[in-house]
Amino acid sequence: MWTKLVQAYNNVQLGGVNRSFPERKLLGAESVVARVLHEHGTTKQYSPVQLGELLCRRSFTNSGEVNSLSIKKGASQKVIWDEGLKIEDEKDWQPKSVLAIIDALDAIRWCYLLVDMGAESAIKKWYETLEARVRLRQHKTEQFRQYYEAQAWKLCLNLRSGSTFAEASKMALDDLELFNNEMNKESTQQKGQGGGKGRKRKWDQEY
């Protein structure tokens, strides 16, 4: 499955030159790719790819180092094929810093591109819009994670109704009320500190 997907991606030419899929972005997270592919190609019962789902399974980090999160996962994951693909696992690790969230969005983007979820331009726009929004509210990463999950479910429900990725993602991203509502929520950390007064948190240093 993996080899065929990568070959299909690489066989597409841009300006007479074959594309080259960055395999290390997803290597080790094949079970997640398989689920997304199964939902897209067979069941049409789309479900969100969680922000930490790929990052805590892939074998390498963006810098090319062995991924310590993947090592900690070990053999805890069980993949079961029946009428559909079901993945059973412990609760996934979630990224906490802006840079880690952007890394997660980037991994999800490459997953969508690999399984041919939709037009490349639409997937690129989806990624760039979410990246811009998390950068815009760098001090609200907890709220952004909640927003991402709500937005991701909107995307998936739109896909389930038969919309293309371009249509589904546009409808999800155009819901600015959802974005503003989530961003205006108080974080659990602020609640614990009585309105957020206390030591500053180094957002971009915490992965």
Side-chain angles (χ1 to χ4, degrees):
M1 180 272 295
W2 175 264
T3 301
K4 289 182 179 179
L5 288 175
V6 172
Q7 286 179 344
Y9 181 91
N10 291 342
N11 285 339
V12 176
Q13 292 191 338
L14 298 175
V17 179
N18 286 70
R19 297 189 300 184
S20 179
F21 186 78
E23 295 187 49
R24 285 198 171 197
K25 294 277 188 180
L26 301 177
L27 193 64
E30 291 90 344
S31 59
V32 181
V33 176
R35 171 175 66 80
V36 176
L37 178 64
H38 190 66
E39 292 172 353
H40 181 55
T42 305
T43 67
K44 302 300 180 183
Q45 295 300 303
Y46 297 92
S47 60
V49 178
Q50 300 299 321
L51 282 173
E53 198 169 352
L54 291 164
L55 292 192
C56 68
R57 288 172 176 80
R58 67 183 186 183
S59 300
F60 300 95
T61 65
N62 263 351
S63 62
E65 298 175 347
V66 175
N67 185 10
S68 61
L69 291 173
S70 178
I71 293 174
K72 291 175 183 177
K73 272 287 185 185
S76 62
Q77 188 181 63
K78 298 178 181 179
V79 182
I80 302 172
W81 281 95
D82 193 2
E83 295 180 356
L85 177 64
K86 181 180 180 182
I87 297 178
E88 296 181 351
D89 204 349
E90 67 219 36
K91 186 176 181 181
D92 285 324
W93 167 90
Q94 289 296 316
K96 297 178 181 179
S97 72
V98 172
L99 294 180
I101 290 174
I102 291 173
D103 196 8
L105 292 172
D106 181 56
I108 296 169
R109 168 180 64 150
W110 284 110
C111 178
Y112 285 167
L113 287 171
L114 186 61
V115 303
D116 197 20
M117 184 72 80
E120 185 167 350
S121 58
I123 295 173
K124 179 182 178 182
K125 184 175 182 180
W126 169 86
Y127 163 75
E128 290 178 344
T129 302
L130 291 178
E131 179 191 5
R133 287 180 182 176
V134 70
R135 288 187 185 277
L136 181 65
R137 305 293 181 89
Q138 294 194 25
H139 60 295
K140 292 195 171 186
T141 53
E142 182 182 338
Q143 291 91 331
F144 182 85
R145 291 198 304 269
Q146 295 171 346
Y147 163 70
Y148 169 80
E149 184 169 358
Q151 175 274 148
W153 268 114
K154 277 183 171 287
L155 170 67
C156 290
L157 292 175
N158 291 337
L159 289 170
R160 288 187 182 193
S161 70
S163 299
T164 64
F165 186 90
E167 296 166 340
S169 59
K170 184 178 187 303
M171 286 187 284
L173 294 173
D174 283 353
D175 190 350
L176 295 179
E177 183 178 358
L178 173 64
F179 176 69
N180 290 327
N181 286 343
E182 293 296 341
M183 290 301 106
N184 288 330
K185 288 181 179 179
E186 187 178 14
S187 72
T188 54
Q189 184 190 33
Q190 288 175 327
K191 290 177 182 177
Q193 293 180 350
K197 294 181 180 180
R199 65 182 180 86
K200 281 190 175 181
R201 185 173 184 178
K202 297 180 180 178
W203 296 95
D204 288 332
Q205 295 178 7
E206 183 179 345
Y207 201 82

